[in-house]
């Protein structure tokens, strides 16, 4: 089976666009063959709002080229935060399903480790902290009506612990554990995550 709409993949924080190709390949091998990697600002260190604007441009381009009315989104880590921000800012009408892989919707204290190195140039680092205004705003706005949202987390992920990945109104799935010591980075390499994401995206409507 092939998804009826284009899937737009959103990269992880501090990772180049190229890093999403393993996930794209894994989704394609499971039948999700219309996958395009979004054009995001370099390394994704900008504010979540800037990233959401980039999603808006990518989705507009996809819909213009394909003639589709909606897309599916797969957001990894902070890419998931940006996707939720975009959905809450008007993107919901152009979205069918959204799968978040290792996205700390409740924020992550792991981001505090990046403050000394990136805090001066990356607003996104500050916005990812659990006590940030952005995290509170995302929680207050919730899941937009009409969009099926699924949050997937890997046990033992130090960046996005299971509890931080829960979002009111979203389905929550725990992926199989991985032996990789880089559990958060394994989100784009995990066969288990790809299985879950593909299952959600290929599920018949209704």
């Amino acid at each position: 089976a092939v998804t009826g709409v284009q899937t737009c993949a959103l990269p992880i924080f501090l990772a180049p666009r190229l890093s999403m190709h393993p996930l794209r390949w894994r989704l394609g091998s499971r039948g999700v063959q219309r996958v395009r990697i979004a054009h995001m600002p370099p390394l994704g260190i900008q504010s979540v709002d800037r990233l959401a604007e980039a999603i808006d441009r990518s989705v507009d381009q996809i819909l213009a080229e394909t003639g589709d009315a909606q897309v599916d989104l797969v957001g990894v880590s902070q890419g998931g935060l940006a996707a939720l921000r975009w959905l809450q800012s008007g993107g919901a009408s152009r979205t069918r399903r959204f799968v978040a892989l290792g996205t700390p919707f409740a924020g992550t204290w792991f981001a505090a480790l990046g403050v000394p190195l990136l805090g001066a140039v990356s607003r996104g680092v500050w916005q990812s902290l659990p006590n940030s205004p952005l995290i509170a705003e995302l929680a207050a706005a919730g899941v937009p009506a009409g969009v099926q949202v699924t949050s997937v987390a890997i046990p033992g992920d130090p960046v996005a612990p299971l509890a931080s990945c829960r979002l009111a109104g979203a389905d929550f799935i725990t992926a199989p554990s991985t032996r990789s010591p880089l559990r958060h980075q394994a989100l784009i390499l995990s066969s288990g995550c790809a299985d879950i994401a593909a299952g959600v995206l290929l599920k018949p409507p209704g």
Side-chain angles (χ1 to χ4, degrees):
V2 178
T3 49
V5 301
Q6 185 90 38
T7 298
C8 185
L10 313 171
I12 196 170
F13 183 73
L14 282 181
R17 189 168 179 265
L18 185 65
S19 68
M20 294 296 288
H21 282 287
L23 178 59
R24 180 184 185 184
W25 180 85
R26 282 174 170 76
L27 290 175
S29 69
R30 289 159 174 78
V32 188
Q33 296 173 3
R34 300 178 67 198
V35 180
R36 187 178 304 190
I37 303 170
H39 288 277
M40 305 292 280
L43 299 182
I45 65 173
Q46 297 74 14
S47 72
V48 170
D49 289 300
R50 281 279 307 280
L51 300 180
E53 290 170 1
I55 295 172
D56 193 63
R57 291 191 293 271
S58 289
V59 171
D60 276 350
Q61 182 179 1
I62 288 171
L63 297 183
E65 293 177 3
T66 63
D68 294 333
Q70 293 182 309
V71 296
D72 287 337
L73 298 177
V74 177
V76 183
S77 192
Q78 192 177 35
L81 292 179
L84 181 59
R85 185 67 153 185
W86 177 73
L87 290 172
Q88 294 173 346
S89 302
S93 62
R94 288 173 282 166
T95 307
R96 185 184 66 155
R97 292 170 179 164
F98 165 40
V99 179
L101 302 178
T103 295
F105 290 112
T108 172
W109 288 114
F110 198 88
L113 297 179
V115 168
L117 294 175
L118 297 168
V121 295
S122 173
R123 189 178 174 200
V125 167
W126 298 97
Q127 290 179 317
S128 298
L129 294 170
N131 60 353
S132 79
L134 174 84
I135 293 299
E137 291 169 12
L138 292 178
V143 173
V147 181
Q148 179 188 341
V149 179
T150 303
S151 179
V152 182
I154 291 181
D157 184 345
V159 179
L162 299 184
S164 74
C165 293
R166 294 186 179 275
L167 177 67
D171 295 330
F172 180 77
I173 301 176
T174 302
S177 186
T178 174
R179 295 180 181 177
S180 170
L182 302 175
R183 283 186 169 86
H184 195 63
Q185 289 74 10
L187 292 162
I188 56 178
L189 303 172
S190 163
S191 294
C193 285
D195 287 340
I196 293 169
V200 171
L201 298 173
L202 294 171
K203 186 178 180 180

